[in-house]
Amino acid sequence: MPLSLTTEERRRRRLLLKSEGRNLIDDSIASPCVSICKIDAVTNLCVGCRRSVGEITDWSLLTAEEKTEISAELSARDPEGRQSAATTG
């Protein structure tokens, strides 16, 4: 199931990172974006990377564990059985 943070959770994570003096963007896990950014009207997933809008929006605030979990699910989200460009490349 696609992950999506609540507005309150986003705010809480930003404040926590700032209070710890850490960068607001955790880039330890690369974004699976392949610059084919279009949301499929049926699945509500990006046709390029297969992430939900919430996952795309929240990517910079997710933990490495959450990003790894999402990345592992992406190829299974492809309804046509293709392997996502994000996982082949």
Side-chain angles (χ1 to χ4, degrees), residues 43-83:
T43 65
N44 287 320
L45 299 174
C46 173
V47 298
C49 67
R50 309 304 297 163
R51 291 180 293 165
S52 69
V53 172
E55 290 167 338
I56 293 166
T57 303
D58 297 335
W59 190 261
S60 64
L61 295 172
L62 299 177
T63 65
E65 182 178 290
E66 289 168 329
K67 291 176 183 180
T68 300
E69 183 179 313
I70 290 167
S71 294
E73 295 174 1
L74 295 179
S75 63
R77 293 181 183 178
D78 192 337
E80 296 176 13
R82 303 169 313 213
Q83 189 167 6

mmCIF file of all heavy atoms in Angstrom, residues 43-83:
data_model
loop_
_atom_site.group_PDB
_atom_site.id
_atom_site.type_symbol
_atom_site.label_atom_id
_atom_site.label_comp_id
_atom_site.label_asym_id
_atom_site.label_seq_id
_atom_site.Cartn_x
_atom_site.Cartn_y
_atom_site.Cartn_z
ATOM 1 N N THR A 43 -4.573 4.077 -11.581
ATOM 2 C CA THR A 43 -3.838 3.583 -10.412
ATOM 3 C C THR A 43 -3.438 4.676 -9.437
ATOM 4 O O THR A 43 -3.082 4.388 -8.294
ATOM 5 C CB THR A 43 -2.548 2.862 -10.852
ATOM 6 O OG1 THR A 43 -1.674 3.819 -11.474
ATOM 7 C CG2 THR A 43 -2.847 1.702 -11.789
ATOM 8 N N ASN A 44 -3.474 5.937 -9.885
ATOM 9 C CA ASN A 44 -2.990 7.076 -9.095
ATOM 10 C C ASN A 44 -1.516 6.934 -8.727
ATOM 11 O O ASN A 44 -1.078 7.434 -7.692
ATOM 12 C CB ASN A 44 -3.839 7.297 -7.846
ATOM 13 C CG ASN A 44 -5.185 7.877 -8.192
ATOM 14 O OD1 ASN A 44 -5.291 8.734 -9.062
ATOM 15 N ND2 ASN A 44 -6.221 7.398 -7.530
ATOM 16 N N LEU A 45 -0.767 6.243 -9.585
ATOM 17 C CA LEU A 45 0.677 6.098 -9.412
ATOM 18 C C LEU A 45 1.377 6.783 -10.567
ATOM 19 O O LEU A 45 0.836 6.870 -11.671
ATOM 20 C CB LEU A 45 1.075 4.617 -9.385
ATOM 21 C CG LEU A 45 0.483 3.754 -8.274
ATOM 22 C CD1 LEU A 45 0.868 2.292 -8.486
ATOM 23 C CD2 LEU A 45 0.931 4.243 -6.907
ATOM 24 N N CYS A 46 2.587 7.241 -10.334
ATOM 25 C CA CYS A 46 3.387 7.835 -11.396
ATOM 26 C C CYS A 46 3.726 6.741 -12.412
ATOM 27 O O CYS A 46 4.139 5.642 -12.038
ATOM 28 C CB CYS A 46 4.666 8.423 -10.803
ATOM 29 S SG CYS A 46 5.827 9.009 -12.052
ATOM 30 N N VAL A 47 3.537 7.026 -13.691
ATOM 31 C CA VAL A 47 3.826 6.020 -14.717
ATOM 32 C C VAL A 47 5.322 5.772 -14.862
ATOM 33 O O VAL A 47 5.729 4.728 -15.368
ATOM 34 C CB VAL A 47 3.214 6.378 -16.097
ATOM 35 C CG1 VAL A 47 1.703 6.453 -16.010
ATOM 36 C CG2 VAL A 47 3.786 7.665 -16.643
ATOM 37 N N GLY A 48 6.162 6.697 -14.408
ATOM 38 C CA GLY A 48 7.611 6.522 -14.508
ATOM 39 C C GLY A 48 8.181 5.694 -13.374
ATOM 40 O O GLY A 48 8.831 4.678 -13.587
ATOM 41 N N CYS A 49 7.924 6.118 -12.136
ATOM 42 C CA CYS A 49 8.563 5.451 -10.988
ATOM 43 C C CYS A 49 7.608 4.574 -10.186
ATOM 44 O O CYS A 49 8.041 3.838 -9.312
ATOM 45 C CB CYS A 49 9.208 6.485 -10.077
ATOM 46 S SG CYS A 49 8.045 7.593 -9.235
ATOM 47 N N ARG A 50 6.316 4.667 -10.447
ATOM 48 C CA ARG A 50 5.267 3.862 -9.806
ATOM 49 C C ARG A 50 4.998 4.259 -8.351
ATOM 50 O O ARG A 50 4.344 3.525 -7.621
ATOM 51 C CB ARG A 50 5.547 2.347 -9.890
ATOM 52 C CG ARG A 50 5.870 1.811 -11.259
ATOM 53 C CD ARG A 50 4.851 2.090 -12.314
ATOM 54 N NE ARG A 50 3.578 1.453 -12.011
ATOM 55 C CZ ARG A 50 2.436 1.782 -12.577
ATOM 56 N NH1 ARG A 50 2.386 2.717 -13.463
ATOM 57 N NH2 ARG A 50 1.335 1.173 -12.253
ATOM 58 N N ARG A 51 5.485 5.434 -7.927
ATOM 59 C CA ARG A 51 5.183 5.897 -6.577
ATOM 60 C C ARG A 51 3.866 6.666 -6.572
ATOM 61 O O ARG A 51 3.448 7.225 -7.577
ATOM 62 C CB ARG A 51 6.278 6.830 -6.044
ATOM 63 C CG ARG A 51 7.582 6.125 -5.776
ATOM 64 C CD ARG A 51 8.624 7.085 -5.247
ATOM 65 N NE ARG A 51 8.993 8.060 -6.270
ATOM 66 C CZ ARG A 51 9.661 9.177 -6.032
ATOM 67 N NH1 ARG A 51 10.019 9.499 -4.793
ATOM 68 N NH2 ARG A 51 9.968 10.007 -7.016
ATOM 69 N N SER A 52 3.227 6.710 -5.409
ATOM 70 C CA SER A 52 2.019 7.517 -5.242
ATOM 71 C C SER A 52 2.423 8.984 -5.107
ATOM 72 O O SER A 52 3.582 9.308 -4.840
ATOM 73 C CB SER A 52 1.261 7.083 -3.980
ATOM 74 O OG SER A 52 1.998 7.447 -2.821
ATOM 75 N N VAL A 53 1.455 9.862 -5.266
ATOM 76 C CA VAL A 53 1.724 11.291 -5.107
ATOM 77 C C VAL A 53 2.252 11.563 -3.699
ATOM 78 O O VAL A 53 3.192 12.337 -3.515
ATOM 79 C CB VAL A 53 0.452 12.125 -5.404
ATOM 80 C CG1 VAL A 53 0.669 13.589 -5.053
ATOM 81 C CG2 VAL A 53 0.048 11.979 -6.852
ATOM 82 N N GLY A 54 1.668 10.922 -2.712
ATOM 83 C CA GLY A 54 2.130 11.091 -1.332
ATOM 84 C C GLY A 54 3.573 10.652 -1.147
ATOM 85 O O GLY A 54 4.352 11.324 -0.464
ATOM 86 N N GLU A 55 3.932 9.530 -1.743
ATOM 87 C CA GLU A 55 5.317 9.049 -1.628
ATOM 88 C C GLU A 55 6.289 10.001 -2.324
ATOM 89 O O GLU A 55 7.395 10.232 -1.825
ATOM 90 C CB GLU A 55 5.433 7.642 -2.214
ATOM 91 C CG GLU A 55 4.729 6.602 -1.367
ATOM 92 C CD GLU A 55 4.555 5.277 -2.075
ATOM 93 O OE1 GLU A 55 4.588 5.217 -3.318
ATOM 94 O OE2 GLU A 55 4.363 4.271 -1.356
ATOM 95 N N ILE A 56 5.873 10.539 -3.460
ATOM 96 C CA ILE A 56 6.720 11.493 -4.175
ATOM 97 C C ILE A 56 6.894 12.751 -3.328
ATOM 98 O O ILE A 56 8.009 13.236 -3.121
ATOM 99 C CB ILE A 56 6.122 11.826 -5.556
ATOM 100 C CG1 ILE A 56 6.154 10.591 -6.460
ATOM 101 C CG2 ILE A 56 6.858 13.001 -6.194
ATOM 102 C CD1 ILE A 56 5.309 10.703 -7.711
ATOM 103 N N THR A 57 5.791 13.277 -2.823
ATOM 104 C CA THR A 57 5.806 14.491 -2.018
ATOM 105 C C THR A 57 6.630 14.308 -0.746
ATOM 106 O O THR A 57 7.388 15.193 -0.353
ATOM 107 C CB THR A 57 4.362 14.900 -1.643
ATOM 108 O OG1 THR A 57 3.616 15.070 -2.835
ATOM 109 C CG2 THR A 57 4.335 16.169 -0.826
ATOM 110 N N ASP A 58 6.481 13.176 -0.096
ATOM 111 C CA ASP A 58 7.101 12.944 1.206
ATOM 112 C C ASP A 58 8.515 12.361 1.134
ATOM 113 O O ASP A 58 9.165 12.198 2.166
ATOM 114 C CB ASP A 58 6.228 11.995 2.035
ATOM 115 C CG ASP A 58 4.854 12.572 2.331
ATOM 116 O OD1 ASP A 58 4.723 13.818 2.327
ATOM 117 O OD2 ASP A 58 3.927 11.786 2.569
ATOM 118 N N TRP A 59 9.005 12.028 -0.059
ATOM 119 C CA TRP A 59 10.270 11.303 -0.201
ATOM 120 C C TRP A 59 11.394 11.905 0.644
ATOM 121 O O TRP A 59 12.132 11.197 1.316
ATOM 122 C CB TRP A 59 10.683 11.211 -1.664
ATOM 123 C CG TRP A 59 11.828 10.286 -1.878
ATOM 124 C CD1 TRP A 59 13.147 10.625 -2.026
ATOM 125 C CD2 TRP A 59 11.780 8.865 -1.930
ATOM 126 N NE1 TRP A 59 13.906 9.496 -2.188
ATOM 127 C CE2 TRP A 59 13.094 8.398 -2.130
ATOM 128 C CE3 TRP A 59 10.747 7.930 -1.838
ATOM 129 C CZ2 TRP A 59 13.407 7.045 -2.236
ATOM 130 C CZ3 TRP A 59 11.053 6.578 -1.944
ATOM 131 C CH2 TRP A 59 12.373 6.154 -2.139
ATOM 132 N N SER A 60 11.514 13.220 0.635
ATOM 133 C CA SER A 60 12.621 13.857 1.345
ATOM 134 C C SER A 60 12.509 13.736 2.867
ATOM 135 O O SER A 60 13.497 13.879 3.573
ATOM 136 C CB SER A 60 12.737 15.332 0.956
ATOM 137 O OG SER A 60 11.589 16.036 1.348
ATOM 138 N N LEU A 61 11.315 13.451 3.362
ATOM 139 C CA LEU A 61 11.111 13.335 4.806
ATOM 140 C C LEU A 61 11.080 11.897 5.302
ATOM 141 O O LEU A 61 11.058 11.658 6.500
ATOM 142 C CB LEU A 61 9.794 14.015 5.201
ATOM 143 C CG LEU A 61 9.748 15.522 4.986
ATOM 144 C CD1 LEU A 61 8.338 16.034 5.226
ATOM 145 C CD2 LEU A 61 10.743 16.227 5.870
ATOM 146 N N LEU A 62 11.073 10.941 4.388
ATOM 147 C CA LEU A 62 11.002 9.531 4.789
ATOM 148 C C LEU A 62 12.347 9.052 5.302
ATOM 149 O O LEU A 62 13.400 9.527 4.888
ATOM 150 C CB LEU A 62 10.560 8.670 3.603
ATOM 151 C CG LEU A 62 9.193 8.983 3.012
ATOM 152 C CD1 LEU A 62 8.934 8.098 1.800
ATOM 153 C CD2 LEU A 62 8.096 8.810 4.047
ATOM 154 N N THR A 63 12.287 8.075 6.194
ATOM 155 C CA THR A 63 13.519 7.467 6.697
ATOM 156 C C THR A 63 14.101 6.552 5.622
ATOM 157 O O THR A 63 13.398 6.151 4.682
ATOM 158 C CB THR A 63 13.245 6.630 7.958
ATOM 159 O OG1 THR A 63 12.389 5.527 7.593
ATOM 160 C CG2 THR A 63 12.590 7.455 9.057
ATOM 161 N N ALA A 64 15.361 6.205 5.771
ATOM 162 C CA ALA A 64 15.993 5.284 4.827
ATOM 163 C C ALA A 64 15.236 3.959 4.796
ATOM 164 O O ALA A 64 15.064 3.361 3.733
ATOM 165 C CB ALA A 64 17.460 5.067 5.204
ATOM 166 N N GLU A 65 14.753 3.514 5.946
ATOM 167 C CA GLU A 65 13.992 2.257 6.015
ATOM 168 C C GLU A 65 12.693 2.355 5.216
ATOM 169 O O GLU A 65 12.336 1.437 4.471
ATOM 170 C CB GLU A 65 13.684 1.917 7.476
ATOM 171 C CG GLU A 65 12.941 0.611 7.651
ATOM 172 C CD GLU A 65 12.712 0.295 9.121
ATOM 173 O OE1 GLU A 65 13.693 -0.018 9.816
ATOM 174 O OE2 GLU A 65 11.537 0.374 9.541
ATOM 175 N N GLU A 66 11.980 3.475 5.350
ATOM 176 C CA GLU A 66 10.736 3.658 4.606
ATOM 177 C C GLU A 66 11.006 3.725 3.098
ATOM 178 O O GLU A 66 10.266 3.145 2.305
ATOM 179 C CB GLU A 66 10.038 4.941 5.069
ATOM 180 C CG GLU A 66 9.461 4.832 6.464
ATOM 181 C CD GLU A 66 9.036 6.163 7.044
ATOM 182 O OE1 GLU A 66 9.659 7.204 6.718
ATOM 183 O OE2 GLU A 66 8.074 6.162 7.836
ATOM 184 N N LYS A 67 12.071 4.433 2.718
ATOM 185 C CA LYS A 67 12.428 4.525 1.298
ATOM 186 C C LYS A 67 12.792 3.161 0.729
ATOM 187 O O LYS A 67 12.394 2.815 -0.390
ATOM 188 C CB LYS A 67 13.596 5.495 1.103
ATOM 189 C CG LYS A 67 13.234 6.923 1.371
ATOM 190 C CD LYS A 67 14.461 7.806 1.257
ATOM 191 C CE LYS A 67 14.141 9.247 1.590
ATOM 192 N NZ LYS A 67 15.306 10.118 1.477
ATOM 193 N N THR A 68 13.533 2.376 1.492
ATOM 194 C CA THR A 68 13.916 1.040 1.049
ATOM 195 C C THR A 68 12.685 0.161 0.869
ATOM 196 O O THR A 68 12.572 -0.580 -0.106
ATOM 197 C CB THR A 68 14.892 0.398 2.058
ATOM 198 O OG1 THR A 68 16.060 1.224 2.143
ATOM 199 C CG2 THR A 68 15.288 -1.006 1.647
ATOM 200 N N GLU A 69 11.745 0.273 1.801
ATOM 201 C CA GLU A 69 10.503 -0.511 1.723
ATOM 202 C C GLU A 69 9.700 -0.136 0.475
ATOM 203 O O GLU A 69 9.209 -1.005 -0.248
ATOM 204 C CB GLU A 69 9.674 -0.259 2.981
ATOM 205 C CG GLU A 69 8.403 -1.069 3.048
ATOM 206 C CD GLU A 69 7.640 -0.793 4.338
ATOM 207 O OE1 GLU A 69 8.261 -0.787 5.407
ATOM 208 O OE2 GLU A 69 6.414 -0.591 4.243
ATOM 209 N N ILE A 70 9.574 1.145 0.211
ATOM 210 C CA ILE A 70 8.845 1.609 -0.973
ATOM 211 C C ILE A 70 9.551 1.134 -2.231
ATOM 212 O O ILE A 70 8.915 0.600 -3.156
ATOM 213 C CB ILE A 70 8.714 3.143 -0.973
ATOM 214 C CG1 ILE A 70 7.754 3.581 0.135
ATOM 215 C CG2 ILE A 70 8.233 3.656 -2.332
ATOM 216 C CD1 ILE A 70 7.796 5.066 0.424
ATOM 217 N N SER A 71 10.863 1.310 -2.295
ATOM 218 C CA SER A 71 11.632 0.900 -3.474
ATOM 219 C C SER A 71 11.453 -0.584 -3.776
ATOM 220 O O SER A 71 11.352 -0.980 -4.939
ATOM 221 C CB SER A 71 13.114 1.226 -3.274
ATOM 222 O OG SER A 71 13.301 2.624 -3.212
ATOM 223 N N ALA A 72 11.389 -1.393 -2.732
ATOM 224 C CA ALA A 72 11.214 -2.836 -2.913
ATOM 225 C C ALA A 72 9.848 -3.182 -3.482
ATOM 226 O O ALA A 72 9.686 -4.208 -4.152
ATOM 227 C CB ALA A 72 11.427 -3.552 -1.580
ATOM 228 N N GLU A 73 8.854 -2.334 -3.253
ATOM 229 C CA GLU A 73 7.489 -2.596 -3.719
ATOM 230 C C GLU A 73 7.217 -2.116 -5.150
ATOM 231 O O GLU A 73 6.223 -2.505 -5.753
ATOM 232 C CB GLU A 73 6.483 -1.879 -2.807
ATOM 233 C CG GLU A 73 6.441 -2.383 -1.396
ATOM 234 C CD GLU A 73 5.536 -1.532 -0.518
ATOM 235 O OE1 GLU A 73 4.927 -0.568 -1.032
ATOM 236 O OE2 GLU A 73 5.431 -1.832 0.667
ATOM 237 N N LEU A 74 8.070 -1.262 -5.687
ATOM 238 C CA LEU A 74 7.742 -0.579 -6.940
ATOM 239 C C LEU A 74 7.500 -1.509 -8.127
ATOM 240 O O LEU A 74 6.546 -1.306 -8.875
ATOM 241 C CB LEU A 74 8.825 0.452 -7.279
ATOM 242 C CG LEU A 74 8.932 1.602 -6.285
ATOM 243 C CD1 LEU A 74 10.052 2.554 -6.702
ATOM 244 C CD2 LEU A 74 7.617 2.348 -6.151
ATOM 245 N N SER A 75 8.323 -2.509 -8.321
ATOM 246 C CA SER A 75 8.127 -3.379 -9.486
ATOM 247 C C SER A 75 6.825 -4.172 -9.385
ATOM 248 O O SER A 75 6.195 -4.454 -10.396
ATOM 249 C CB SER A 75 9.319 -4.302 -9.695
ATOM 250 O OG SER A 75 9.472 -5.165 -8.595
ATOM 251 N N ALA A 76 6.393 -4.487 -8.173
ATOM 252 C CA ALA A 76 5.137 -5.211 -7.988
ATOM 253 C C ALA A 76 3.929 -4.341 -8.293
ATOM 254 O O ALA A 76 2.839 -4.846 -8.532
ATOM 255 C CB ALA A 76 5.047 -5.745 -6.562
ATOM 256 N N ARG A 77 4.104 -3.036 -8.326
ATOM 257 C CA ARG A 77 2.998 -2.115 -8.599
ATOM 258 C C ARG A 77 2.721 -1.954 -10.086
ATOM 259 O O ARG A 77 1.769 -1.287 -10.458
ATOM 260 C CB ARG A 77 3.306 -0.743 -8.020
ATOM 261 C CG ARG A 77 3.357 -0.742 -6.518
ATOM 262 C CD ARG A 77 3.640 0.640 -6.026
ATOM 263 N NE ARG A 77 3.761 0.657 -4.581
ATOM 264 C CZ ARG A 77 4.037 1.730 -3.885
ATOM 265 N NH1 ARG A 77 4.205 2.887 -4.500
ATOM 266 N NH2 ARG A 77 4.140 1.675 -2.585
ATOM 267 N N ASP A 78 3.544 -2.539 -10.928
ATOM 268 C CA ASP A 78 3.376 -2.352 -12.373
ATOM 269 C C ASP A 78 2.286 -3.297 -12.865
ATOM 270 O O ASP A 78 2.477 -4.501 -12.939
ATOM 271 C CB ASP A 78 4.697 -2.640 -13.082
ATOM 272 C CG ASP A 78 4.678 -2.185 -14.522
ATOM 273 O OD1 ASP A 78 3.579 -2.064 -15.100
ATOM 274 O OD2 ASP A 78 5.748 -1.964 -15.072
ATOM 275 N N PRO A 79 1.117 -2.757 -13.227
ATOM 276 C CA PRO A 79 -0.017 -3.604 -13.600
ATOM 277 C C PRO A 79 0.178 -4.369 -14.909
ATOM 278 O O PRO A 79 -0.525 -5.335 -15.161
ATOM 279 C CB PRO A 79 -1.178 -2.612 -13.721
ATOM 280 C CG PRO A 79 -0.535 -1.328 -14.057
ATOM 281 C CD PRO A 79 0.810 -1.344 -13.342
ATOM 282 N N GLU A 80 1.132 -3.951 -15.731
ATOM 283 C CA GLU A 80 1.354 -4.631 -17.005
ATOM 284 C C GLU A 80 2.482 -5.640 -16.932
ATOM 285 O O GLU A 80 2.901 -6.197 -17.943
ATOM 286 C CB GLU A 80 1.613 -3.593 -18.104
ATOM 287 C CG GLU A 80 0.411 -2.709 -18.324
ATOM 288 C CD GLU A 80 0.682 -1.616 -19.337
ATOM 289 O OE1 GLU A 80 1.693 -1.690 -20.043
ATOM 290 O OE2 GLU A 80 -0.141 -0.685 -19.416
ATOM 291 N N GLY A 81 3.025 -5.846 -15.733
ATOM 292 C CA GLY A 81 4.065 -6.846 -15.565
ATOM 293 C C GLY A 81 5.441 -6.409 -16.024
ATOM 294 O O GLY A 81 6.370 -7.203 -16.060
ATOM 295 N N ARG A 82 5.579 -5.133 -16.410
ATOM 296 C CA ARG A 82 6.889 -4.645 -16.805
ATOM 297 C C ARG A 82 7.662 -4.340 -15.553
ATOM 298 O O ARG A 82 7.084 -4.012 -14.529
ATOM 299 C CB ARG A 82 6.776 -3.344 -17.606
ATOM 300 C CG ARG A 82 5.930 -3.414 -18.830
ATOM 301 C CD ARG A 82 5.722 -2.010 -19.321
ATOM 302 N NE ARG A 82 5.347 -1.169 -18.189
ATOM 303 C CZ ARG A 82 4.546 -0.134 -18.243
ATOM 304 N NH1 ARG A 82 4.045 0.236 -19.371
ATOM 305 N NH2 ARG A 82 4.233 0.566 -17.173
ATOM 306 N N GLN A 83 8.977 -4.388 -15.645
ATOM 307 C CA GLN A 83 9.769 -3.955 -14.523
ATOM 308 C C GLN A 83 9.933 -2.448 -14.646
ATOM 309 O O GLN A 83 10.204 -1.924 -15.719
ATOM 310 C CB GLN A 83 11.147 -4.628 -14.531
ATOM 311 C CG GLN A 83 11.903 -4.370 -13.255
ATOM 312 C CD GLN A 83 13.096 -5.270 -13.128
ATOM 313 O OE1 GLN A 83 13.433 -6.008 -14.036
ATOM 314 N NE2 GLN A 83 13.751 -5.204 -12.003
#
